[in-house]
Amino acid sequence: MRLLPATLATIGAPAELGGWRLERIADAAEAAVQLAAWSIGGQPPTPFVDPPAEFDPVAAAESALAPFLDGRDGASGWVAVDAAGRARALLGARLEVTDEDHPGYTYLPSHYADVPLSAWHLASAPDAELLPLLVGGVASDARAKGIRRLMVQVRPHDWIAASAWLRLGLRPGTVFAGRPTRPAPDPARPDVVVRPARSDDADALVALAFEQYEYHAAHTECGMRSGQAEAPTRRLAEQWVQRAEVPRAQLALDADGRPVGFLEMHTVELPAHSPGLLYYPPRYGYLGLTSVTESARGRGIGRALAARALACLADRGLDYAMLHYVVDNPLSRPFWSGLGFAPHVLTLVGDVLD
C-alpha cells in the first residue's frame, strides 16, 4: 500500500479519531469498495505477472471485500470515513479458531486474525494514522473469540508500508516466495532415490510431517502447535497418495531404502477477478509441507526433493512455483533463498489484539 512514515497512536478501543468515524465495511459498502478499487487499480504488478487485459479493479475489490460486505461469520471489516462520507482507510480480517476440522489446523496458530494483502487500504499517506483505529475495531470482535494474534500481509519491497505495521508491534512472520520452475536445480545426490509417494508410504509421510511440526513448535514463534492430533495429517497424507497419475508428494529414500524426507506439491489456479492476479501467476505450482528427518539434514536431500518437484511442475506446464517459509526458522530462509526463491508477500504478525 502507498504509505509514508507516520506517528501512530497506541491501539485502543473503537472511537472517533480526529473527526473520522469508524463503521463496519457492510455499513459503508460503496465508500469501502471505491477505496479498495482505487488502491488495487493503482498497485504495480509483480514483475513476472501480466494482469489480464480485462482485469477490473472494482470486481477485484468486491471479491476481496465480499466476506465483510456479506457480514459472514468470523469476518471483521472496518472502514474509517471522513465527514464527507469518503473512506480514508479500511481493514478486513478473518477471525479464525483452528480445531482439527479446520483446513489450516496443521500449520496455523490456534487463534488468529488474518488480513490478506487485498483487505487493507489507505487513501493517502497521512491516513496511516488511522491504522490504530481500524485495528481497535478488529480487536473488539477478536476478543470474543479469544484472539490476540494479528497477521497482516504486505509486499516485501514496500518497506514504508511495513514500517507502519512494525510500529504497531508486528514483526516478520512468514514469507510467500516464488521462482520459475525451470531450470530446476541439480539434485546432486546419486545415493538418494526420490520417487512419488505411494499408498503404503502414508505412515512415513505422517511421521516426517510430525517431525516438522515439532521442529517449528520448538524453534520458531509461528504458532504451530506441538502434540497435534494425528487424524488431520493422516487425512492429508491419504490425499497426497490417492492419485498415482498426478503425484502430490515426492518421497526421498536413502541408500538403505529408508524414508528420510518428503515434499508435498499441488496446483493453484486463481479465480477470475481475484486481486491476486496482480501479484501471482494465474496458475502456479505450490510447494507445501517439506520435511527432512533430523539425522539426514545437511546432506542435500531437501535440494534433491525440490529439484524433482520443480521438474514435475514444469512438466505439467506450470512456469512458476511458490511456497511459504517461516522467517525465524533457521533452516528455511537460507535453504529456499539458495534455490532462487524470491519473496513476493511478507506476513507480519503480533499479539496486539488486546
Side-chain angles (χ1 to χ4, degrees):
M1 308 304 160
R2 294 172 296 276
L3 301 183
L4 293 174
T7 300
L8 303 179
T10 302
I11 296 173
E16 291 203 4
L17 177 68
W20 313 112
R21 67 181 186 276
L22 188 67
E23 295 189 12
R24 298 264 182 191
I25 286 177
D27 295 328
E30 183 176 354
V33 169
Q34 185 177 33
L35 172 58
W38 172 84
S39 179
I40 291 171
Q43 291 291 314
T46 300
F48 63 73
V49 174
D50 292 321
E54 66 277 11
F55 184 78
D56 181 353
V58 174
E62 291 173 342
S63 175
L65 300 183
F68 317 107
L69 295 169
D70 299 343
R72 298 177 196 175
D73 183 48
S76 178
W78 297 88
V79 58
V81 181
D82 65 17
R86 297 168 300 192
R88 306 302 306 180
L90 69 84
L91 177 67
R94 299 192 333 263
L95 306 180
E96 301 280 3
V97 177
T98 58
D99 58 19
E100 294 177 26
D101 295 323
H102 189 285
Y105 170 80
T106 59
Y107 63 92
L108 286 170
S110 59
H111 296 69
Y112 65 96
D114 182 39
V115 180
L117 191 62
S118 57
W120 74 277
H121 304 280
L122 300 174
S124 68
D127 292 315
E129 68 180 21
L130 297 170
L131 286 177
L133 180 70
L134 298 171
V135 172
V138 171
S140 67
D141 293 331
R143 293 188 194 102
K145 294 179 175 287
I147 293 173
R148 298 184 63 241
R149 174 159 294 196
L150 180 65
M151 303 164 58
V152 179
Q153 292 183 349
V154 300
R155 302 183 78 176
H157 62 273
D158 195 352
W159 59 269
I160 298 177
S163 71
W165 288 107
L166 293 173
R167 293 180 187 186
L168 289 176
L170 276 64
R171 66 184 188 280
T174 60
V175 170
F176 187 58
R179 59 153 283 171
T181 55
R182 293 191 187 279
D186 180 3
R189 284 302 312 211
D191 58 330
V192 174
V193 173
V194 178
R195 62 161 173 81
R198 305 185 298 243
S199 58
D200 58 348
D201 295 319
D203 287 345
L205 296 175
V206 171
L208 287 164
F210 268 80
E211 193 168 351
Q212 183 75 329
Y213 303 156
E214 294 300 327
Y215 180 88
H216 275 94
H219 298 283
T220 78
E221 297 183 15
C222 69
M224 194 177 294
R225 67 197 89 195
S226 178
Q228 293 189 21
E230 182 179 307
T233 299
R234 187 159 292 278
R235 288 195 297 268
L236 289 173
E238 290 170 354
Q239 293 173 14
W240 297 337
V241 300
Q242 66 185 200
R243 292 181 61 194
E245 70 278 10
V246 186
R248 283 190 55 179
Q250 297 290 331
L251 185 69
L253 307 172
D254 66 11
D256 296 320
R258 293 173 298 196
V260 290
F262 85 95
L263 186 154
E264 184 273 332
M265 60 185 179
H266 59 272
T267 300
V268 174
E269 296 191 40
L270 298 181
H273 307 306
S274 168
L277 292 170
L278 285 175
Y279 315 122
Y280 320 121
R283 185 171 178 264
Y284 60 86
Y286 182 79
L287 306 186
L289 182 59
T290 304
S291 178
V292 175
T293 194
E294 183 177 9
S295 62
R297 291 172 191 158
R299 292 164 43 191
I301 292 169
R303 184 180 181 88
L305 284 165
R308 176 61 60 86
L310 288 168
C312 288
L313 294 175
D315 289 344
R316 296 175 192 175
L318 298 167
D319 294 328
Y320 296 98
M322 315 292 287
L323 55 83
H324 284 93
Y325 64 78
V326 177
V327 171
D328 63 350
N329 180 340
L331 302 178
S332 292
R333 177 159 51 182
F335 174 75
W336 293 115
S337 297
L339 290 178
F341 282 88
H344 288 276
V345 175
L346 172 65
T347 298
L348 304 174
V349 302
D351 294 332
V352 299
L353 299 176
D354 294 319

